[in-house]
Amino acid sequence: MTAGIRCMQMRGGTSKGAFFLAQDLPGDRDDVLVRIMGSPGEHQVDGIGGGHPLTSKVAVVAPGDHGVDYLFLQVVPDRPVVSAAQTCGNLLAGVGPFAIERGLVPVAGARTEVRIRLVNPHESWAVAKVPTPGGEVSYEDGIELTFPGGDREIFPTGRRVDRFAGVEVTCVDAGMPVVLVRAEDVGVAGTESPEQLEADDELRAIVEKIRLEAGPAMGLGDVRESTVPKVSLLSAPRHGGLVSTRTFIPHRVHAAIGVLGAVSVAAGVRTPGTVFPAGEGAGVEHPGGTATVSVELDETRMRSSSVVRTARKLADGLVWPRPATKGPAPC
Ligand code: NQM
């Protein structure tokens, strides 16, 4: 029998994933991850994935030169595909605690700072302040995640407004490439549930048309098979926030919003001249509540951003991939 592979399952923010030390994964990593998560399979019943993009995520963590390296991999539930085209700010919340639990970073006082190099899609940095009272990780309190922005331009097309598929949009990337669209411009109110939006074939078609035209203009190439850009439908806030969102990620609709997705939305709507200029504020409303993100901008450049997220260790042990010779369908 194949040996089990060391794995920790964690919730990071509003997502859930499998965390591995890079050294514990074999050379045929992506094939093994597909078999661990149970793809392809609508419900991933033959693996530990949850049958939804938000619960079919993987973090690969390794010691780095100035902290730890975090590689994010999206395992597509219904196809045998592993994509490194994006990172995930929600799962990032689990990286600091995982690095401490695995002994990559020593506990340093009541809050341990973990410097994290986000390896993909292009190198960037985050600092996680992990609560470590009494010398061990506490999952009770929030983890502050700070993203130094450097000098990054946040509008990848060079414009604040573009027109794709006949619809005015703003393409923004402040950590996650997102296309901002006024909900009313694609015939919805922006208050619908994710299920209602996913059931609307006409809406899905126009959202995908916008995305396919926006991708190359954002420098992402042909995005037919890519999980980015996301498309966020914007409408007026209803709970005192900055803006209300419904986000296609990109084919399912997020039950909440991604961390970096929320940072990109906030950066976009805080800038005058975009499709939904919303002024000051920090609350990005979504179907499950409000994400509070703090964004510091200098015109069209990102100075820094931060969010507070919680994470929780769910399980720690060994995981056994489906044998390579067996087909995906369990019986
Ligand atoms: O935007 C889902 C999530 C994400 C991404 C997605 C994320 C982020 O909520 O930082 O976390 O947009 O595919 O896990």
Side-chain angles (χ1 to χ4, degrees):
M1 191 183 188
T2 342
I5 296 173
R6 201 163 175 225
C7 170
M8 187 181 285
Q9 272 198 302
M10 297 186 92
R11 174 182 65 74
T14 54
S15 284
K16 185 161 70 171
F19 286 64
F20 299 91
L21 285 179
Q23 70 196 46
D24 291 337
L25 284 168
D28 51 347
R29 184 195 70 197
D30 288 1
D31 177 53
V32 167
L33 289 177
V34 158
R35 290 186 280 118
I36 287 175
M37 300 305 277
S39 296
E42 195 191 342
H43 303 294
Q44 293 179 313
V45 290
D46 202 23
I48 64 169
H52 189 283
L54 298 181
T55 53
S56 183
K57 296 179 171 248
V58 168
V60 182
V61 180
D65 289 340
H66 304 284
V68 298
D69 287 354
Y70 159 49
L71 171 72
F72 169 73
L73 298 169
Q74 178 74 59
V75 181
V76 178
D78 54 4
R79 285 180 296 140
V81 171
V82 176
S83 168
Q86 68 168 86
T87 189
C88 172
N90 269 313
L91 227 57
L92 172 66
V95 172
F98 177 74
I100 296 169
E101 295 251 13
R102 284 286 188 263
L104 301 187
V105 176
V107 167
R111 235 161 234 280
T112 300
E113 210 169 274
V114 182
R115 280 176 57 76
I116 302 167
R117 184 171 75 99
L118 285 73
V119 175
N120 60 327
H122 37 71
E123 181 181 287
S124 64
W125 287 87
V127 177
K129 286 193 188 134
V130 183
T132 46
E136 56 182 53
V137 176
S138 158
Y139 292 98
E140 307 275 307
D141 299 318
I143 297 155
E144 189 188 317
L145 298 168
T146 306
F147 306 94
D151 224 14
R152 256 158 68 80
E153 248 300 331
I154 60 168
F155 297 113
T157 68
R159 290 173 294 275
R160 295 184 192 193
V161 176
D162 287 284
R163 182 177 283 270
F164 298 123
V167 178
E168 276 193 344
V169 307
T170 294
C171 298
V172 58
D173 183 354
M176 182 66 71
V178 182
V179 183
L180 308 181
V181 178
R182 286 183 293 257
E184 63 185 24
D185 288 357
V186 288
V188 294
T191 48
E192 296 81 357
S193 68
E195 294 74 24
Q196 285 171 322
L197 297 173
E198 284 179 3
D200 186 337
D201 290 340
E202 212 177 307
L203 173 69
R204 282 162 46 129
I206 182 75
V207 164
E208 185 62 358
K209 198 155 189 274
I210 292 170
R211 203 180 80 82
L212 295 184
E213 288 185 25
M218 296 172 82
L220 299 169
D222 179 350
V223 295
R224 265 176 297 188
E225 295 294 322
S226 178
T227 56
V228 286
K230 318 289 178 185
V231 179
S232 205
L233 309 185
L234 309 183
S235 60
R238 282 138 193 115
H239 306 286
L242 185 61
V243 64
S244 173
T245 61
R246 295 293 184 269
T247 306
F248 283 76
I249 59 167
H251 301 122
R252 304 294 303 266
V253 177
H254 206 306
I257 190 166
V259 167
L260 292 161
V263 170
S264 288
V265 169
V269 303
R270 290 264 307 269
T271 307
T274 58
V275 289
F276 204 95
E280 295 297 308
V284 177
E285 298 178 8
H286 56 70
T290 300
T292 303
V293 300
S294 144
V295 171
E296 262 186 59
L297 288 167
D298 180 1
E299 303 257 315
T300 61
R301 290 180 193 280
M302 192 70 177
R303 287 285 171 242
S304 77
S305 58
S306 65
V307 296
V308 176
R309 271 293 194 252
T310 60
R312 199 167 81 78
K313 175 166 71 169
L314 305 175
D316 191 11
L318 299 177
V319 66
W320 279 268
R322 180 182 70 231
T325 49
K326 285 263 169 66
C331 52

